[in-house]
Amino acid sequence: MTLPSRAGLDAVPAYRQGRSAPAGASKLSSNESPHPPLASVREAVQDALGSINRYPDMSAAALRTRLADRYGIDPRLVTVGAGSVELAAQLIHAVAGEGDEVMFAWRSFEAYPSLVRIAGATPIAVPLNAEHAHDLDAMLAAITPRTRAIFVCNPNNPTGTVVSAAELERFVSAVPHDILVVIDEAYVHFDRTDSYGAGIELFRQHPHVAVLHTFSKAYGLAGLRIGYAISPLEVAENQRKVAVPFGVSDLAQAAARASLDAEDELAARIHEVVTQRDRLRALLADAGWPAIASQANFVWVPAGERTEELEALLREGGVITRVFPGEGVRISSGSIEDIDRVAATLVRTEAIA
């Protein structure tokens, strides 16, 4: 007996989680925070444990109100989901279906093409430019009557490059208003350029912009899965229709609210991650690897045919990375000790050479 199988799923690869690290090694494969949860966040989660026999608040009303107050917007424009990836899926399902197109740069966030195909739409991948950044002119040229949404990952994963605020404004202004521009700012807290916060400002100025943020990276809540989108009202209402019911736990909501109360502590942690990111890039460049200047919490090395060589060298030195065969290696910014291990590995490699 052959069980039914949905047509088209053969073209959808399963998402690959960053490889785990053996004991004593540095796991720099998943863009996670290297810091343990803040004490205040642990306490908030502990307090919420007493009610896990009840369903969570599906609307996340308290968190959405906090976020709406922060940005000075109507709470109805804020939606929550199990991380920015689930919110990206919500947005795609909210605006696109069979026969429609959803555009993104490539290489960019690995889940985009799969999410589009799962929604029944057609993914349109526009190659990055020679600087490993979004080619906005090529993206504008790729718009067709079937285009329903365009994702701009800023900073971009896995390259860490950014679209400047001025370039993003020009691009959004040129996109027809019946196409949703989704500015995915999962890594925005690590951005030290003028593009920081550009997504929210563009949302205020244009009727066809949505912005994605996550608590997984800078806030260190990757294991609890929570993020939020700020979208035009019609889109936000449709997101709520396609969202997985009760998809965000009360534990995650409590941790997110506590994290918003602890942003001074988190800022110090973010600064350390940025410092180690820049150090990581310098170490790689000094060792002769073509590391790209990054504004995220990782560094991209477009090693091409030497990709497997670099991954193996780092793995032998106890550093686990994310490898894209034949393209490059993405190395997350970890703790000082993690980057010390990278440094020791590169120094040892130079000595052997």
Side-chain angles (χ1 to χ4, degrees):
M1 180 180 68
T2 301
L3 293 174
S5 177
R6 177 181 155 189
L9 285 184
D10 288 345
V12 179
Y15 184 80
R16 296 183 305 116
Q17 184 175 10
R19 286 191 304 160
S20 58
S26 292
K27 183 176 184 286
L28 302 183
S29 57
S30 293
N31 297 342
E32 301 155 326
S33 171
H35 303 101
L38 293 170
S40 59
V41 174
R42 288 199 303 268
E43 183 178 349
V45 172
Q46 182 70 38
D47 290 345
L49 284 173
S51 61
I52 60 172
N53 58 308
R54 304 294 184 185
Y55 285 111
D57 174 10
M58 195 167 74
S59 71
L63 177 59
R64 287 171 52 236
T65 298
R66 286 284 304 275
L67 293 167
D69 289 345
R70 160 177 290 207
Y71 296 114
I73 60 175
D74 187 329
R76 294 179 299 168
L77 306 181
V78 183
T79 54
V80 297
S84 58
V85 65
E86 201 249 322
L87 288 156
Q90 289 179 15
L91 286 165
I92 293 167
H93 282 277
V95 303
E98 189 169 350
D100 297 327
E101 296 175 347
V102 176
M103 187 190 306
F104 44 83
W106 197 254
R107 176 172 288 278
S108 190
F109 181 37
E110 196 172 358
Y112 289 156
S114 295
L115 295 176
V116 175
R117 288 191 176 98
I118 290 168
T122 301
I124 303 297
V126 178
L128 297 170
N129 62 24
E131 286 72 45
H132 305 276
H134 284 69
D135 188 337
L136 298 181
D137 289 335
M139 294 177 78
L140 288 173
I143 292 174
T144 75
R146 298 168 59 190
T147 306
R148 296 292 176 265
I150 302 173
F151 278 79
V152 178
C153 189
N154 202 41
N156 186 48
N157 175 18
T159 63
T161 53
V162 295
V163 177
S164 73
E167 291 173 319
L168 201 53
E169 163 67 33
R170 179 182 66 82
F171 177 75
V172 169
S173 297
V175 173
H177 285 186
D178 60 350
I179 298 172
L180 183 69
V181 179
V182 182
I183 304 173
D184 186 347
E185 294 187 331
Y187 300 95
V188 69
H189 297 87
F190 309 103
D191 185 0
R192 294 297 178 264
T193 73
D194 68 354
S195 69
Y196 184 95
I200 298 298
E201 290 307 309
L202 289 170
F203 169 81
R204 299 184 195 280
Q205 297 167 20
H206 297 274
H208 61 312
V209 170
V211 183
L212 296 182
H213 284 180
T214 183
F215 286 93
S216 295
K217 313 300 191 250
Y219 290 91
L221 302 184
L224 284 175
R225 309 307 302 130
I226 183 166
Y228 62 94
I230 297 174
S231 313
L233 181 58
E234 180 181 356
V235 175
E237 289 176 342
N238 283 336
Q239 284 181 254
R240 284 185 272 274
K241 293 176 184 178
V242 301
V244 176
F246 306 109
V248 179
S249 71
D250 272 343
L251 301 184
Q253 294 177 44
R257 295 194 302 272
S259 295
L260 293 175
D261 291 332
E263 291 195 316
D264 287 344
E265 289 180 87
L266 289 167
R269 292 182 166 194
I270 293 168
H271 176 73
E272 179 183 327
V273 169
V274 168
T275 299
Q276 295 308 310
R277 173 199 73 197
D278 293 343
R279 177 185 171 214
L280 172 61
R281 193 250 174 163
L283 288 167
L284 289 159
D286 288 346
W289 293 100
I292 304 299
S294 172
Q295 293 298 326
N297 66 338
F298 52 81
V299 172
W300 172 244
V301 186
E305 62 184 17
R306 297 186 67 196
T307 292
E308 287 70 21
E309 176 189 347
L310 175 59
E311 187 274 335
L313 289 172
L314 291 169
R315 175 165 37 84
E316 290 168 6
V319 179
I320 306 304
T321 61
R322 185 63 170 264
V323 60
F324 297 81
E327 296 183 59
V329 177
R330 190 193 68 194
I331 310 169
S332 301
S333 175
S335 66
I336 295 173
E337 292 74 20
D338 290 328
I339 308 308
D340 283 348
R341 181 172 281 125
V342 174
T345 300
L346 294 173
V347 167
R348 184 166 60 251
T349 301
E350 288 179 344
I352 293 173

